[in-house]
């Protein structure tokens, strides 16, 4: 995985009802809202992280920037797990993803809370003014079209058809990767150890699963197409889960 700038974000598909909430190019009767991916690398073991978690949740709920759809991805890293509290939402996948970003954006330094906007701009995740200005700037950029269409469930697991439109300048050895994330909102946890011991921490859209599903090729009308089955853990609340697809 070698993330560069995110050039698109898909529609968000609600897993429980298998319906799609329109954003960006899918809105025909409303003013178009340009999607912007906002990643937050965080941990329940980090005392400076709760304000950043709250900021991300606020950005998602209030959607304060005109003509922009903020798509939050809260990714819990593992390197705080040695400090007295094992973050139940942490994954080595997110730690590795942040490490690659560190080599590109933050001089090799991984830290929490770190917010990254559209894969291009990084800063301390609790800085609200910087978050808004970065999102506004990213929202002014043209994005590639994506369609996510709910299909028939297979053995109880929801399926989605993913299609990516033309990808400009996809040449010179560049390989635009298609990624799928499953997020869950409404999560909170009573922390019993580490720097946040005794606190009931509330989160934004926590990433439960993140995986590459393919590579977009060429600048044709459809540069990528696939049918994806999404496995939902029995401990997740389906009514709070969503699928997000983005090209990077």
């Amino acid at each position: 995985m070698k993330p560069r700038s995110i050039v698109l974000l898909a529609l968000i598909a609600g897993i429980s009802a298998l319906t799609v909430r329109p954003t960006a190019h899918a809105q025909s009767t409303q003013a178009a809202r340009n999607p912007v991916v906002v990643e937050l690398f965080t941990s329940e073991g980090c005392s400076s992280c709760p304000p950043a978690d709250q900021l991300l949740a606020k950005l998602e709920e209030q959607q304060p920037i005109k003509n922009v759809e903020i798509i939050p991805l809260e990714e819990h890293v593992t390197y705080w797990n040695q400090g007295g509290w094992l973050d139940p939402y942490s994954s080595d996948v997110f730690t590795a993803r942040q490490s690659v970003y560190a080599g590109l954006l933050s001089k090799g330094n991984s830290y929490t809370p770190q917010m990254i906007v559209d894969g291009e701009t990084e800063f301390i995740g609790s800085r609200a003014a910087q978050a808004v200005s970065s999102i506004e700037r990213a929202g002014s950029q043209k994005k590639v079209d994506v369609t996510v269409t709910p299909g028939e469930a297979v053995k109880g697991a929801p399926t989605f058809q993913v299609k990516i439109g033309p990808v400009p300048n996809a040449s010179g050895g560049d390989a635009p990767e298609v990624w799928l994330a499953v997020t869950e909102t409404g999560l909170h946890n009573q922390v019993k150890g580490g720097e946040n011991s005794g606190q009931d921490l509330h989160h934004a859209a926590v990433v439960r699963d993140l995986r590459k599903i393919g590579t977009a090729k060429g600048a044709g009308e459809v540069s990528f197409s696939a049918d994806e089955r999404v496995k939902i853990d029995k401990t997740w609340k389906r009514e709070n889960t969503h699928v997000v697809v983005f090209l990077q």
Side-chain angles (χ1 to χ4, degrees):
M1 178 186 66
K2 296 181 179 180
R4 296 177 64 186
S5 62
I6 292 172
V7 294
L8 68 87
L9 177 104
L11 307 183
I12 303 177
I15 289 175
S16 59
L18 294 185
T19 58
V20 175
R21 185 177 78 191
T23 70
H25 66 283
Q27 295 183 350
S28 58
T29 60
Q30 307 176 46
R33 300 181 67 194
N34 215 15
V36 174
V37 179
V38 180
E39 296 180 80
L40 176 66
F41 292 95
T42 185
S43 171
E44 288 192 340
C46 160
S47 62
S48 58
C49 285
D53 299 346
Q54 294 165 15
L55 173 60
L56 186 66
K58 183 178 179 180
L59 290 170
E60 177 186 27
E61 179 182 357
Q62 297 183 358
Q63 295 291 332
I65 302 172
K66 184 179 180 180
N67 298 331
V68 170
E69 175 79 5
I70 298 171
I71 308 300
L73 298 177
E74 184 175 302
E75 301 168 55
H76 288 237
V77 298
T78 55
Y79 48 81
W80 279 96
N81 287 348
Q82 308 305 317
W85 177 249
L86 180 63
D87 188 333
Y89 311 120
S90 63
S91 169
D92 289 332
V93 172
F94 310 140
T95 304
R97 181 171 176 82
Q98 187 189 31
S99 179
V100 177
Y101 272 134
L104 296 169
L105 301 177
S106 54
K107 300 179 180 180
N109 297 318
S110 293
Y111 65 91
T112 55
Q114 182 185 37
M115 191 170 284
I116 297 179
V117 176
D118 264 4
E120 292 186 322
T121 306
E122 71 87 21
F123 48 90
I124 295 173
S126 55
R127 293 180 175 175
Q130 192 167 2
V132 169
S133 64
S134 298
I135 294 168
E136 287 177 335
R137 184 165 58 253
S140 68
Q141 304 298 313
K142 181 177 176 59
K143 306 298 174 73
V144 175
D145 285 341
V146 178
T147 302
V148 180
T149 305
E152 296 293 330
V154 177
K155 295 182 179 180
T159 65
F160 300 90
Q161 182 184 59
V162 178
K163 287 187 177 180
I164 310 292
V167 180
N169 302 321
S171 60
D174 195 12
E177 298 177 347
V178 185
W179 288 80
L180 183 149
V182 179
T183 67
E184 183 178 1
T185 56
L187 292 170
H188 67 96
N189 205 30
Q190 187 71 37
V191 178
K192 299 178 181 179
E195 293 186 358
N196 292 313
S197 182
Q199 295 189 50
D200 184 15
L201 299 183
H202 290 250
H203 302 294
V206 174
V207 179
R208 288 297 209 168
D209 185 33
L210 177 67
R211 57 189 170 91
K212 176 184 173 183
I213 61 174
T215 302
K217 299 178 180 179
E221 288 301 314
V222 178
S223 62
F224 176 85
S225 179
D227 293 320
E228 290 297 321
R229 181 182 176 187
V230 178
K231 295 181 180 180
I232 305 300
D233 190 280
K234 63 181 181 181
T235 63
W236 306 347
K237 291 186 177 180
R238 291 175 66 98
E239 65 271 20
N240 292 342
T241 53
H242 293 83
V243 166
V244 177
V245 178
F246 59 91
L247 186 73
Q248 186 159 35

